[in-house]
Amino acid sequence: MRAIEMRGFGGPEVLQLCERDMPVPGSGEVLIRVSAAGVNRPDVLQRMGLYPVPPGASDLPGLEVAGEIVAGDMTGSELRIGDAVCALVQGGGYAEYCVAPLAQCLPVPQGLSMLEAASLPETYFTVWSNVFDRARLLPGESLLVQGGASGIGVAAVQLARAMGNRVFATAGSDEKCRAVEALGAERCINYKTEDFVQVVRELTANRGVDVVLDMVAGDYLPREMQCLADDGRIAIIALLGGAKAQIDLGQVLRRRLTITGSTLRPRSVQFKRDIAAQLKEKVWPLLEKRQIQPVIHTVLPLQAAAQAHALMESGQHIGKIVLQLD
């Protein structure tokens, strides 16, 4: 099969087209003929040598795919050989065939294309597990999404709005801000020209928001604490601004704040099975009714994976970047 491998760590140029043996599914796994694969920030970090591959996972990049199940162990599932699915995987998505745990496969939502389906798993598994499970965002509460124009951001904004929440976001240009507002954000703040703390406090009558979805961390963390209402929660999912921050722990005590975070890739199949079940029940119907929808910025052929990574690192995209295989 054709695949994209990393020939060392470094810039996008280390991603090269290659020939690999087709992977073989084990117990509880299926083989997917890949039609499209999503490109995500963890793929970039892996390429740079900053995100180690978990033991037993493929060394090929790619954490989400859409395609057809062509073989595997279907025990205990409603899915069958030949079904169109999208799947969250631990690696190996940038290839014509990929192995996925059956528990992490979901049917392609009715009415969506394979390209759209490939943009869903990593994004929605991450948003659901952090915003709704860890940070416990409830209907009627408010959410601030950092990086609202990213793949994670456009999903979080739409999903929280559909769940009955007030949603605010940040983005790095006026164009991105307008796009995020069109997706349902009450206000998107240009962090390059505005103080998001001041704007959030004004928009909430100085109360603050209940939850912040943070992919920046670093020196954003103390500022985000100023954005929180009492009993507020911050869910950290990435460290684009750095892994260290100096914060006032007195605020945590006095205002009962919660700072939490997680990474999805190393979690167990059982954990991801539970999230998949929640997505199928609560999110897939919203996708099928088009109450929320995938936002795809660019589609590129598999052999242009390096170009896809360069685009992601440029920060010019709004929504997802997807590689197409057929």
Side-chain angles (χ1 to χ4, degrees):
M1 68 173 187
R2 294 184 309 147
I4 297 292
E5 66 181 6
M6 300 186 308
R7 297 184 182 169
F9 298 126
E13 69 279 357
V14 305
L15 297 174
Q16 297 287 330
L17 192 66
C18 68
E19 293 283 335
R20 285 284 189 101
D21 291 338
M22 192 179 301
V24 178
S27 176
E29 295 180 332
V30 294
L31 181 67
I32 297 172
R33 179 186 295 118
V34 178
S35 295
V39 177
N40 293 281
R41 182 69 58 176
D43 304 342
V44 173
L45 296 176
Q46 178 179 330
R47 192 204 74 222
M48 297 169 69
L50 302 175
Y51 197 9
V53 176
S58 171
D59 65 304
L60 300 175
L63 301 177
E64 60 184 351
V65 299
E68 177 189 351
I69 296 176
V70 294
D73 178 4
M74 310 302 295
T75 304
S77 175
E78 297 177 355
L79 295 171
R80 297 289 181 266
I81 302 295
D83 281 355
V85 296
C86 55
L88 182 72
V89 297
Q90 277 201 315
Y94 293 10
E96 291 181 317
Y97 290 86
C98 181
V99 164
L102 179 61
Q104 294 169 208
C105 296
L106 285 161
V108 171
Q110 186 175 355
L112 267 64
S113 68
M114 286 290 195
L115 290 171
E116 291 174 314
S119 75
L120 301 177
E122 173 72 11
T123 300
Y124 280 97
F125 273 77
T126 298
V127 170
W128 188 268
S129 64
N130 285 280
V131 174
F132 296 97
D133 279 355
R134 295 194 70 79
R136 307 180 313 281
L137 182 68
L138 300 174
E141 289 190 327
S142 53
L143 170 69
L144 171 64
V145 179
Q146 301 285 21
S150 67
I152 293 286
V154 298
V157 166
Q158 292 186 83
L159 187 51
R161 179 63 181 270
M163 293 291 181
N165 303 105
R166 289 186 77 186
V167 185
F168 310 104
T170 64
S173 72
D174 290 342
E175 177 193 6
K176 287 184 176 182
C177 285
R178 301 297 82 78
V180 175
E181 288 172 351
L183 292 170
E186 184 175 323
R187 174 79 149 81
C188 187
I189 304 152
N190 185 339
Y191 63 80
K192 293 182 179 178
T193 60
E194 300 177 278
D195 179 351
F196 68 79
V197 176
Q198 178 182 345
V199 175
V200 166
R201 301 297 301 188
E202 290 173 354
L203 291 169
T204 59
N206 213 37
R207 175 184 180 274
V209 296
D210 298 289
V211 173
V212 177
L213 180 62
D214 177 17
M215 57 190 76
V216 183
D219 62 8
Y220 264 44
L221 191 58
R223 298 173 65 197
E224 289 167 346
M225 289 170 61
Q226 296 176 52
C227 291
L228 284 180
D230 291 352
D231 297 298
R233 294 85 73 192
I234 297 173
I236 302 170
I237 60 170
L239 306 172
L240 298 177
K244 296 182 179 180
Q246 186 170 357
I247 62 172
D248 178 3
L249 292 175
Q251 279 200 61
V252 175
L253 297 178
R254 291 190 303 272
R255 301 177 54 215
R256 304 171 302 281
L257 305 181
T258 299
I259 301 170
T260 185
S262 70
T263 56
L264 186 60
R265 193 176 191 182
R267 299 302 296 268
S268 69
V269 172
Q270 179 60 56
F271 175 83
K272 294 169 187 174
R273 175 190 289 115
D274 292 342
I275 294 184
Q278 294 178 72
L279 292 177
K280 187 176 180 182
E281 176 188 353
K282 298 174 181 177
V283 178
W284 257 227
L286 299 175
L287 287 161
E288 291 177 346
K289 295 173 185 174
R290 289 287 178 167
Q291 291 178 253
I292 58 177
Q293 56 188 332
V295 179
I296 296 178
H297 180 83
T298 301
V299 177
L300 294 166
L302 178 66
Q303 60 269 26
Q307 183 182 340
H309 276 223
L311 174 59
M312 173 157 284
E313 290 182 86
S314 76
Q316 298 302 306
H317 58 294
I318 297 173
K320 297 283 290 197
I321 302 166
V322 178
L323 299 175
Q324 186 173 27
L325 285 94
D326 59 14

